[in-house]
Amino acid sequence: MTITGNDIVNQITTGVNGSSNRLSSLRKAMPQILAVMVKNVVLISFGLTVGYVTILIPALSENVASNEFHLDNSQISWIGSISMMCVPIGCLISGIVTDPIGRRRSMQIINIPFIICWIIFYFANQLWHFYFALAMGGFFGGLVEAPILTYVSEITQPHLRGALAASSSVAVIAGILIEFILGTFLEWRTVALISCVFPVTSFCLLCFMPESPHWLIMNNKIDKARKSLAWLRGWTSLEDVEEEIQNICRSQKMEESQKGDATIHRSFIRRQLESAKGYTKKTFLWPFTMVAFLYFLSHFTGSTTLQTYAVKLFETLQSPIDVYYATIIMGAAELLGCIVSLFLVKYCGKRIMAFISITGVGVCDVIIGTYAYVMNIDTFASSDNTPAASNFEFDDHQWVALGTLVCLAFVSHCGFRALPWILIGEIYPHDIRATGCGISGAISYVFAFASNKVFLQLGAMLTIPGIYWFYGSLSFVGLVCIYFILPETEGKSLEAITDHFSGKSKLGNKVQRSKKGQLCGNINLAFVTTEPEYRQKEDVDSKL
């Protein structure tokens, strides 16, 4: 009997990898995709609270007999910004508050305040009711940030992690678009009642999702971690995930031992002071300043205020179609822009994506300002203040404003709005990455609050042409600054990015592409570093 060398290799490979090879790639990916999609229902619920502001402002400021609320510009600005003021508070304490509870359970519990918010909106009959519900929605929307970010990174495999993490922004924009559609056809109280369905659904669906294996191991729940990982890796057996479980255990023990050796002889206060020094070093201050500048540009170039004051802007610039239909189109453009950004960052890199997006935003701002100037539109539309027009016929030119506002929504979400959120996960050193992400996210919402709060006042002071020319100027100044301060991190390792911001090396401005045929994942070197004897001789005579 003759056994070929290939037969022996096949037998060895089957013996080592037999059970894992039984599962297709699709089956391995499906439970991870399912868990992330269920997590995204939480983000859709948060997106609903963001989009609700856009339909609430015109509903509460209409000067009609049936309207029980009549808000002035100051009250409207608080409605538009108070939620964003409370989100940073939730972001800053998100990790501390939710870490003892667990990732999945934190996301599940946070749905309860969202439900309460919608109930308050439905029964609201005083202005402070709206303020309280918006503040609560913003705070708990920030509080959910840490469990959502960590849950995705801890349950997904490396080759799926990027795309599944990027789906978060799509979920938020989808929630905003859903609210725009509901607000177009239904009264605002009815919209609030219907919106309760999403957090209730999210709470129920999360009951069937597994907890993060990393969190379970960190809390000495090894058996539950095995079951969770087996579910996430294609509903497979516990034996198939044992190796990955052991790797996670070793990694966590190594980190604990390193921290223990370094801090065992130091007092608690001294350890805290030494830990805080990481936030005074160049490795934190340089990337934080860069990403804070990107957040500032993303919020003070017109796209944030467009989303909040969409109905009022479409009324002011006299949209040729119903303002609520125009808002739906704008929301669809934002969603499409988020999807396009997934391809831009992959094939063009972050620098090119940023250049395209910010240039488009600047051009749109200039066009809107020029249009308002030519049409003599200086102030925002209201029941007592209708903008005057020049000798031009609006019927011939009003499509310019509608098309440009929709284009502004699209190009801003094509990359520039998402860029800083992509960067914060990779620009900070490992030991301060989690807290750095929280601080950066808080800064983003502070800028969002400020831009919404001062928008109407700036419009009154600078006029509408002036404020959009100001936004355009900031966009082009930002474009020049981005050219010099933003390195290309796409395709680069986390170590290389950290070395760049510490000054040890330079990343350069080109995207690093992986070579064709390069293997992905971990390779068992026992099978590739040496050439077995039986592979050298094709045919081996059996002695049996």
Side-chain angles (χ1 to χ4, degrees), residues 177-193:
L177 178 58
I178 291 170
E179 205 71 358
F180 288 169
I181 295 172
L182 292 175
T184 300
F185 301 103
L186 300 171
E187 193 257 348
W188 60 271
R189 290 188 191 273
T190 307
V191 172
L193 196 60

Side-chain angles (χ1 to χ4, degrees), residues 88-291:
I89 303 173
C91 288
L92 289 174
I93 65 174
S94 179
I96 300 172
V97 172
T98 62
D99 195 56
I101 305 173
R103 322 301 189 207
R104 181 188 63 84
R105 191 173 298 172
S106 297
M107 292 187 290
Q108 194 172 23
I109 292 174
I110 285 172
N111 281 290
I112 298 175
F114 284 153
I115 297 170
I116 296 173
C117 287
W118 292 120
I119 294 174
I120 293 174
F121 282 130
Y122 181 76
F123 290 103
N125 54 27
Q126 296 185 40
L127 186 59
W128 72 267
H129 294 164
F130 296 103
Y131 290 159
F132 179 76
L134 289 169
M136 178 186 290
F139 173 77
F140 285 99
L143 199 64
V144 80
E145 181 172 324
I148 280 180
L149 291 174
T150 52
Y151 186 72
V152 175
S153 64
E154 290 175 353
I155 69 170
T156 54
Q157 293 173 295
H159 66 285
L160 297 172
R161 189 171 298 145
L164 293 179
S167 67
S168 297
S169 60
V170 178
V172 175
I173 297 300
I176 294 172
L177 178 58
I178 291 170
E179 205 71 358
F180 288 169
I181 295 172
L182 292 175
T184 300
F185 301 103
L186 300 171
E187 193 257 348
W188 60 271
R189 290 188 191 273
T190 307
V191 172
L193 196 60
I194 294 175
S195 298
C196 287
V197 172
F198 290 89
V200 171
T201 302
S202 174
F203 183 92
C204 296
L205 290 176
L206 282 167
C207 294
F208 303 99
M209 296 298 107
E211 179 56 87
S212 160
H214 288 256
W215 184 87
L216 291 170
I217 291 174
M218 190 166 56
N219 288 271
N220 297 318
K221 300 178 180 180
I222 308 299
D223 291 337
K224 290 185 177 180
R226 288 190 180 94
K227 295 177 181 178
S228 172
L229 194 61
W231 193 98
L232 290 165
R233 294 301 178 260
W235 304 290
T236 186
S237 65
L238 301 181
E239 290 77 12
D240 290 341
V241 298
E242 185 61 30
E243 183 178 356
E244 187 172 353
I245 286 289
Q246 294 303 322
N247 289 336
I248 297 172
C249 292
R250 281 194 295 268
S251 176
Q252 292 196 6
K253 287 179 181 178
M254 186 178 299
E255 291 181 2
E256 291 174 0
S257 64
Q258 290 175 348
K259 291 178 182 178
D261 292 341
T263 60
I264 192 171
H265 298 299
R266 298 174 188 160
S267 67
F268 174 79
I269 296 178
R270 185 177 178 183
R271 291 199 303 267
Q272 297 304 311
L273 291 175
E274 291 185 357
S275 176
K277 288 181 181 179
Y279 302 98
T280 63
K281 295 180 180 179
K282 182 180 181 180
T283 51
F284 173 77
L285 295 177
W286 181 3
F288 175 75
T289 303
M290 180 191 73
V291 81

Side-chain angles (χ1 to χ4, degrees), residues 445-462:
Y445 290 110
V446 168
F447 286 143
F449 161 75
S451 65
N452 284 331
K453 186 69 179 71
V454 304
F455 178 65
L456 297 179
Q457 288 82 356
L458 279 177
M461 182 174 63
L462 300 177

